[in-house]
């Protein structure tokens, strides 16, 4: 009685990769027709509990709903780009010293993707995501609200849930323009619909 026995048990701990987490924070921004590009979410948050960097991962931003011709995504002027907003351009946040990614899809069709390097830490990619801009370059943009979605893969098999931001489009009434050449001695007037009517002017001399 009172005897004890000791048994050693080996426990294996399986390491499971946690996916990155993206949260949009800012209120829905407004793009004004003919205006400058706007920041999509200057306070977006990105975290990853077990990834020191996103080497081999991809940051994807796209107009996932409401896309219209002219919708363009880009990075603002605080980001250094080796070849502008073009495919293959190297991206850095320190003036070009440290490359954190390479543009894979340039954003002109409403989708922007960046292939990430081993220098792409969660803090730097959060900083970069906050510089993403939206604009519509057409003369008369569709006023349907846009949904811009952010997705991030960490290079270790984890992919974040989609984080959405809504953008409202405000139209601006453009003044009418007369295109082409108007011959001397011709008066122009609107017919009340959408056409310009040219009327010859008859010179009247003294009676």
């Amino acid at each position: 009685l009172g005897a004890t026995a000791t048994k050693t048990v080996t426990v294996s701990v399986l390491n499971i990769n946690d996916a990155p987490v993206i949260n949009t924070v800012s209120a829905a921004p407004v793009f004004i027709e003919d205006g400058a590009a706007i920041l999509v979410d200057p306070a977006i948050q990105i975290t990853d509990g077990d990834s020191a960097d996103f080497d081999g991962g991809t940051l994807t931003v796209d107009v996932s709903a409401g896309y219209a011709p002219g919708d363009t995504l880009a990075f603002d002027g605080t980001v250094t780009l080796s070849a502008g907003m073009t495919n293959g351009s190297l991206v850095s946040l320190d003036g070009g010293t440290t490359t954190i990614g390479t543009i894979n899809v340039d954003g002109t069709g409403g989708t922007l993707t960046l292939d990430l390097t081993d220098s792409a830490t969660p803090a730097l990619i959060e900083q970069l995501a906050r510089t993403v801009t939206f604009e519509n370059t057409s003369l008369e943009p569709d006023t349907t609200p846009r949904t811009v979605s952010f997705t991030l893969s960490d290079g270790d098999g984890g992919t974040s849930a989609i984080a959405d931001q809504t953008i409202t489009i405000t139209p601006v009434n453009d003044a009418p323009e007369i295109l082409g050449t108007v011959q001397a001695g011709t008066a122009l007037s609107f017919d009340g619909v959408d056409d310009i009517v040219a009327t010859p002017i008859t010179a009247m001399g003294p009676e």
Side-chain angles (χ1 to χ4, degrees), residues 175-200:
E177 296 181 28
I178 298 174
L179 304 177
T181 303
V182 179
Q183 294 182 347
T186 302
L188 299 179
S189 63
F190 290 96
D191 66 1
V193 186
D194 58 3
D195 296 322
I196 297 176
V197 179
T199 306

Side-chain angles (χ1 to χ4, degrees), residues 15 24 47-48 63 65-66 80 89 95 107 124 128 141 154 167 172 177 198 200:
N15 184 26
T24 50
T47 58
D48 192 317
V63 181
T80 301
S89 185
L124 287 177
L128 181 68
D154 61 12
I167 295 177
V172 173
E177 296 181 28

Side-chain angles (χ1 to χ4, degrees), residues 1-7:
L1 293 178
T4 60
T6 301
K7 185 175 183 180

Side-chain angles (χ1 to χ4, degrees), residues 124-173:
L124 287 177
I125 297 308
E126 178 183 79
Q127 182 182 344
L128 181 68
R130 292 177 176 182
T131 73
V132 173
T133 63
F134 168 89
E135 67 177 325
N136 184 285
T137 59
S138 64
L139 293 177
E140 296 182 10
D142 189 314
T143 57
T144 302
R146 312 294 201 266
T147 300
V148 176
S149 300
F150 291 79
T151 310
L152 175 63
S153 64
D154 61 12
D156 298 315
T159 301
S160 71
I162 297 171
D164 291 334
Q165 176 67 293
T166 300
I167 295 177
T168 301
I169 311 297
T170 298
V172 173
N173 182 43

Side-chain angles (χ1 to χ4, degrees), residues 20 22 46 54-61 100-105 111-117 120 125 150-156 158-160:
I22 306 178
I46 294 177
F54 297 133
D55 186 26
T58 303
L59 175 66
T60 301
V61 189
I100 60 175
T102 303
I103 293 176
N104 189 12
V105 180
T111 299
L112 171 63
T113 66
L114 188 73
D115 294 334
L116 305 176
T117 72
I125 297 308
F150 291 79
T151 310
L152 175 63
S153 64
D154 61 12
D156 298 315
T159 301
S160 71

